[in-house]
Amino acid sequence: MSLKRGGIELSQEQADIVDSVMQPDSITVVSAGAGSGKTRTMVASVLHLVSEKNVSIDDFALITFTNKATDEMRERLESGVLERIEEAEKAGDWDQLSRWFEQKERIASTFIGTIHRFCAMLLRNFGYTELIAHESEIIMASHYFQAALKDTMNEGLEDSTTNILFDTEQVHWAPHVMAERLKSWYEYIRGRGRSITEVASETLRQNENDDNQKYRNAVATMLEKLENNYRELKREKGGVDTNDLLHKCAALVEQHKNQIGPLVASRFRYLFVDEFQDTDELQMNIIQSLAPRLKHVLVVGDRKQAIYGFRGADHSVIRKIAELNNKTPLSLSASRRPTEPLHKAQSVLFDNMGLRYEFLQEKLTQPDDAHVPKDSLVPFQYEHVKTFKDRQGPIIERMVGKIREYVGQRIHDRHKGIRQVEYRDICVLFRSNYQLQSYHSLIPSDIPVVTDTGGGFFRKPEIVACYHMLQAILKYPDDVSLDLALGTPFLPFNAPNSIYRNDGTNLVLRDWFEDEDDCKEWLKGIRNIRKRMKVDLVPQLLTNMYEFTRVREYYGKMGNLQAVANLEKLVMWSRELMNTEALTLQHFFDRLQVALLTGMEMDEADTGMEDTKPNSVRFSTVHSAKGLEYPIVILPDIGRRLLNDEQMPTFFEIPGWGLDLELPGGQGCSSSFNEWVDHYRQNMLEEEARIFYVAVTRAEHVICMIGHGYDKPNPIGDENWSWKDEVLHAGDSLKGLGKKIVKID
DNA sequence: CGGAGTAGACTTTTT
DNA sequence: GTCTACTCCG
């Protein structure tokens, strides 16, 4: 029996999944390991259905988690279809040829995108009762939020439940800090798909009878006021934020099942979701509600690779959706990615980690014909740098040494046979963008490096900040716009402490700016630009704005040269626009707004070091490398502490119990507060283990890790626990694999 | 022992 | 830029 499906050669377990998707009116849940061919199986399923059933490629909705994964999916689908075309040409099968040519055209109208885009599309096309506002109103929502926040602060001062929060003798925060916290708490709760109203009423019902209950009540009441004010403003003026998008979509498919169902069924017949472990419960419910209307739903995920828990993703959704539908998840466990010896070493490491984390007990197997390379590269290496402080320098030195050592060595490539290692074979993975930036700036210039910093140009914080600053200038003296600019680095001084006052003066933000000495220069800058708006060209005005706000110095000091380069690139962009239109500052602002809200694609600025060298080492964060693979992966600084008391959250939202928090000043904690902190620590260690798993499984041929500090492992769960300890704890079993496979020093 | 000065660390991302 | 931990010197 041939294991080709949709013209793609598959393994038995992959073919079983395709065959399961062929069954009508059902749902298939797949639990897939790293490198087991998730995308391949999905593409094969699409192509197989198209060739076997009377289905067209645009009857599918393919949902991915990131925009990057979207591009990858589209590419793979296109090349799959192109192969069908070539095959039909060779065989001289003209019927097939014209059929696949038609499918190729239809890829353009196939929905391939993130769950957010999917929801926005559903609302726009089918949401006749909950009619979604025009796109420009999405961006307006952030204005309304600021306005609602301000109203809430003023109301909170009058209310006897909440005014204890304004007693700065008790709670040591300036009002603008309180506003900032309220905002982040509000976003935290809503980002998890929870209802503010519900959380508030849960909190008020707590009945703990401790001294701190009044503080929790006060915060809950503030959040509820904020929710009401914001909702009212959005309703009145027609704004929608990204959370509303999902909530409205969930409400739409749930409450108007009978009207929406047939509409959705008329547009889509199949729904495939990739990276399902990064989905949250609300999103799962949307998929679940749609399932009965569709021919087949396929969800694929790997809970070992769930690394978006901080954003509210819940990796148990795979199990939950399987249970809801009475299905046993099919498994996809054979990993084609690593070479045979690397896989052996990875398995020993993961087995050892499995003693600590239950989810790592799902094993990765290998196909019988796994690649055994004939070269002398050591697949699994741990390099120890004997230093305690000043770790960055020595680690960079070691890392650069390894890169130089690898380049030019012989590598036995699975496809091309023996060849030389090039820069482009190497990927260095960092835990944070901060680390990535600071290492990048210290790499010797003879090593070509490209950085891979997640989102595109118009999503970068410095560009968004620039947008807010421009708005503050254009709308001056509008308080809401000033407020938005307040949180950006375009403000070279501290934000005001006392905007919210109850002494009858009703001090507005612009009055504060007028009064404050620090702001004189800044205000002068704004007035100057407003004066010159009609005279100077946009590039000049932008440069002028960078100067008086000293924003380039700010980013320069932080070592964020990419941000400085991006700001320059914005000036270049305005020059380009000038070629095609008479560009006023207002006009430029409008163009920028459109670019921001449509997520217009534009590459980041070159910082000079990388130029157009395609053969470069790649620097990436673990999160943005997800789904990718590289022959050689280097993980620098795996000795970094994972738990940091300073970073422990002081705000929790416990479903069914309400909120618990520690205000600056120490008030607010319930007796269970420490329990939540411990729970958080545990979750954090588990998520870090999954991130480590993702990092280690990016490698096809060689994984090289660099650690520092003590070369003996810390006790399990110790406050100094790091990724290094995972390796050292497995050290003895790893060494047993022999020097040709493992090198630990 | 304590104040002044300095070096190093700073989560992750979707819309 | 801000915070902490560490060093140095009196």
Side-chain angles (χ1 to χ4, degrees):
Chain A
M1 189 182 95
S2 161
L3 288 181
K4 266 198 173 183
R5 296 290 185 276
I8 296 175
E9 191 70 50
L10 298 181
S11 70
Q12 184 63 53
E13 54 179 13
Q14 291 173 333
D16 289 344
I17 289 161
V18 179
D19 293 343
S20 166
V21 178
M22 293 292 284
Q23 305 298 316
D25 305 314
S26 186
I27 178 162
T28 300
V29 181
V30 177
S31 169
S36 59
K38 281 186 296 231
T39 313
R40 187 185 178 86
T41 310
M42 274 200 179
V43 170
S45 301
V46 175
L47 297 177
H48 194 60
L49 279 161
V50 170
S51 55
E52 299 295 310
K53 306 238 164 171
N54 188 21
V55 181
S56 173
I57 217 160
D58 54 359
D59 291 331
F60 289 83
L62 306 175
I63 297 177
T64 55
F65 185 68
T66 61
N67 282 317
K68 208 185 203 171
T70 298
D71 298 341
E72 165 93 7
M73 179 71 82
R74 188 176 292 275
E75 243 165 62
R76 297 275 284 270
L77 199 59
E78 264 165 5
S79 71
V81 170
L82 286 179
E83 269 173 43
R84 303 294 86 224
I85 290 178
E86 271 173 35
E87 209 167 85
E89 252 172 0
K90 252 185 224 157
D93 186 339
W94 306 120
D95 278 353
Q96 281 298 312
L97 188 64
S98 70
R99 175 162 166 70
W100 285 110
F101 258 121
E102 192 196 330
Q103 296 304 320
K104 187 178 160 243
E105 296 304 308
R106 289 195 177 204
I107 292 180
S109 55
T110 304
F111 181 89
I112 307 176
T114 61
I115 186 98
H116 287 87
R117 292 232 307 261
F118 183 73
C119 289
M121 186 269 303
L122 282 187
L123 284 168
R124 215 161 284 139
N125 292 343
F126 310 128
Y128 53 92
T129 46
E130 299 263 333
L131 198 66
I132 186 172
H134 189 266
E135 258 185 294
S136 70
E137 280 161 340
I138 292 178
I139 210 161
M140 287 310 286
S142 73
H143 295 62
Y144 303 145
F145 186 84
Q146 288 295 329
L149 185 56
K150 219 169 156 202
D151 291 347
T152 307
M153 295 288 287
N154 286 325
E155 283 170 31
L157 200 54
E158 311 281 342
D159 189 324
S160 59
T161 321
T162 54
N163 63 9
I164 44 167
L165 297 175
F166 291 81
D167 180 356
T168 45
E169 295 288 302
Q170 293 293 314
V171 187
H172 310 303
W173 57 9
H176 76 271
V177 175
M178 166 155 60
E180 194 182 278
R181 294 283 167 86
L182 283 174
K183 182 181 180 191
S184 77
W185 296 338
Y186 179 88
E187 282 169 355
Y188 174 91
I189 297 172
R190 288 208 64 211
R192 263 145 221 266
R194 304 270 301 145
S195 140
I196 299 278
T197 316
E198 206 181 303
V199 170
S201 68
E202 277 171 10
T203 309
L204 296 174
R205 265 188 270 123
Q206 272 170 8
N207 248 334
E208 291 284 296
N209 286 326
D210 57 336
D211 291 347
N212 283 323
Q213 180 72 59
K214 57 177 186 281
Y215 291 100
R216 297 197 292 279
N217 289 349
V219 171
T221 309
M222 284 299 272
L223 289 171
E224 196 170 19
K225 281 177 193 294
L226 177 58
E227 167 77 347
N228 292 337
N229 288 336
Y230 183 39
R231 190 191 292 147
E232 188 51 35
L233 266 178
K234 281 185 295 188
R235 198 191 53 75
E236 207 177 283
K237 308 209 172 165
V240 176
D241 65 24
T242 45
N243 277 314
D244 294 332
L245 214 64
L246 290 184
H247 279 276
K248 284 192 172 191
C249 188
L252 182 74
V253 294
E254 189 48 45
Q255 288 160 16
H256 304 280
K257 257 185 205 160
N258 297 328
Q259 297 94 307
I260 298 308
L263 287 173
V264 172
S266 70
R267 172 66 183 83
F268 299 110
R269 294 165 73 184
Y270 292 90
L271 179 64
F272 289 7
V273 189
D274 200 0
E275 306 279 16
F276 196 65
Q277 77 281 356
D278 293 325
T279 311
D280 60 38
E281 197 145 351
L282 184 66
Q283 296 167 355
M284 179 192 82
N285 289 335
I286 294 172
I287 308 286
Q288 177 67 22
S289 308
L290 289 173
R293 300 293 171 177
L294 299 159
K295 269 256 179 275
H296 206 104
V297 171
L298 168 67
V299 300
V300 182
D302 179 7
R303 64 195 185 114
K304 301 189 288 311
Q305 293 190 74
I307 57 173
Y308 287 93
F310 66 90
R311 230 198 83 251
D314 171 4
H315 58 268
S316 61
V317 288
I318 302 174
R319 182 177 49 78
K320 283 184 188 152
I321 201 164
E323 279 168 7
L324 276 175
N325 295 285
N326 273 323
K327 298 277 172 188
T328 314
L330 297 177
S331 83
L332 205 52
S333 63
S335 178
R336 253 174 203 282
R337 182 176 297 148
T339 61
E340 195 265 343
L342 176 58
H343 174 260
K344 223 185 244 171
Q346 284 177 346
S347 297
V348 170
L349 173 66
F350 298 148
D351 283 351
N352 193 288
M353 287 171 70
L355 301 173
R356 293 181 283 286
Y357 315 100
E358 169 268 332
F359 52 87
L360 275 169
Q361 287 160 16
E362 286 175 4
K363 295 199 194 295
L364 271 184
T365 59
Q366 274 218 299
D368 300 333
D369 58 342
H371 179 55
V372 185
K374 297 187 184 75
D375 58 39
S376 53
L377 293 168
V378 181
F380 192 99
Q381 312 183 22
Y382 172 71
E383 303 253 329
H384 193 84
V385 178
K386 287 188 188 58
T387 141
F388 289 85
K389 48 174 230 140
D390 300 344
R391 68 185 199 235
Q392 199 181 34
I395 289 178
I396 286 181
E397 203 177 295
R398 187 67 71 96
M399 186 177 102
V400 169
K402 291 308 285 188
I403 294 173
R404 291 197 209 281
E405 180 193 319
Y406 286 135
V407 171
Q409 281 208 52
R410 283 148 48 86
I411 183 170
H412 183 192
D413 189 296
R414 183 180 351 213
H415 307 289
K416 293 178 202 150
I418 299 275
R419 63 179 179 86
Q420 281 201 328
V421 175
E422 297 177 272
Y423 285 117
R424 65 160 71 86
D425 294 319
I426 303 172
C427 176
V428 186
L429 292 179
F430 297 90
R431 178 66 185 83
S432 71
N433 276 312
Y434 171 80
Q435 265 185 327
L436 188 152
Q437 296 281 356
S438 70
Y439 275 65
H440 185 200
S441 62
L442 294 171
I443 290 294
S445 55
D446 62 311
I447 294 183
V449 174
V450 283
T451 54
D452 188 17
T453 42
F457 182 74
F458 289 109
R459 262 190 287 270
K460 301 299 288 183
E462 60 273 13
I463 301 302
V464 177
C466 195
Y467 165 80
H468 288 313
M469 185 61 205
L470 280 172
Q471 184 173 51
I473 293 175
L474 285 164
K475 295 204 173 159
Y476 186 83
D478 172 59
D479 256 20
V480 176
S481 318
L482 275 175
D483 222 18
L484 281 170
L486 215 115
T488 70
F490 284 83
L491 207 72
F493 47 84
N494 286 329
N497 277 338
S498 49
I499 320 162
Y500 310 99
R501 278 206 318 226
N502 194 25
D503 56 5
T505 52
N506 199 15
L507 188 74
V508 284
L509 201 52
R510 70 161 175 282
D511 294 337
W512 180 86
F513 276 107
E514 306 281 356
D515 285 351
E516 207 67 16
D517 278 353
D518 289 350
C519 312
K520 284 230 167 79
E521 282 303 303
W522 193 73
L523 275 183
K524 222 168 94 189
I526 288 193
R527 296 221 180 83
N528 186 33
I529 290 198
R530 287 181 63 83
K531 223 186 314 173
R532 306 202 63 91
M533 250 157 64
K534 301 260 155 39
V535 192
D536 286 352
L537 297 172
V538 175
Q540 275 167 291
L541 292 168
L542 281 177
T543 311
N544 188 318
M545 179 174 90
Y546 296 164
E547 266 157 27
F548 85 79
T549 56
R550 281 176 288 161
V551 66
R552 281 177 299 203
E553 286 86 336
Y554 170 82
Y555 284 118
K557 248 183 214 152
M558 305 218 348
N560 192 348
L561 298 176
Q562 183 70 58
V564 179
N566 283 343
L567 289 172
E568 288 313 315
K569 179 151 182 171
L570 193 70
V571 178
M572 293 297 290
W573 188 58
S574 75
R575 283 212 181 89
E576 269 168 45
L577 290 178
M578 270 174 25
N579 294 335
T580 52
E581 57 195 290
L583 196 70
T584 63
L585 194 62
Q586 181 65 51
H587 207 142
F588 176 72
F589 174 79
D590 294 342
R591 294 296 301 261
L592 183 57
Q593 175 167 323
V594 171
L596 286 170
L597 64 85
T598 58
M600 199 171 111
E601 291 293 325
M602 182 148 99
D603 289 337
E604 278 197 65
D606 288 336
T607 45
M609 271 151 112
E610 54 238 44
D611 280 355
T612 46
K613 289 173 212 152
N615 182 20
S616 307
V617 177
R618 181 162 288 272
F619 275 24
S620 173
T621 61
V622 180
H623 282 80
S624 50
K626 192 173 183 196
L628 304 176
E629 55 189 30
Y630 296 89
I632 298 175
V633 170
I634 298 177
L635 293 182
D637 199 10
I638 66 165
R640 193 189 73 106
R641 281 174 67 165
L642 300 175
L643 293 169
N644 201 336
D645 279 343
E646 276 77 55
Q647 279 170 230
M648 280 297 148
T650 52
F651 178 86
F652 296 95
E653 191 270 304
I654 315 296
W657 194 80
L659 58 87
D660 201 350
L661 75 169
E662 186 182 2
L663 296 172
Q667 311 87 342
C669 305
S670 79
S671 54
S672 313
F673 190 80
N674 288 333
E675 204 180 300
W676 317 134
V677 175
D678 284 347
H679 190 71
Y680 179 89
R681 272 170 180 274
Q682 199 51 44
N683 278 339
M684 187 170 176
L685 280 179
E686 286 181 11
E687 182 136 314
E688 290 291 342
R690 291 190 294 262
I691 296 170
F692 187 48
Y693 174 89
V694 170
V696 170
T697 52
R698 292 315 93 201
E700 293 174 277
H701 210 105
V702 173
I703 175 95
C704 172
M705 294 164 279
I706 303 169
H708 76 290
Y710 294 104
D711 52 6
K712 295 275 179 299
N714 285 304
I716 290 162
D718 185 80
E719 54 169 358
N720 289 315
W721 187 257
S722 68
W723 287 349
K724 172 191 77 177
D725 297 308
E726 307 281 12
V727 179
L728 294 180
H729 270 279
D732 291 341
S733 349
L734 282 166
K735 280 177 187 158
L737 293 172
K739 278 192 183 150
K740 279 194 176 159
I741 299 185
V742 178
K743 190 183 135 208
I744 297 182
D745 63 18

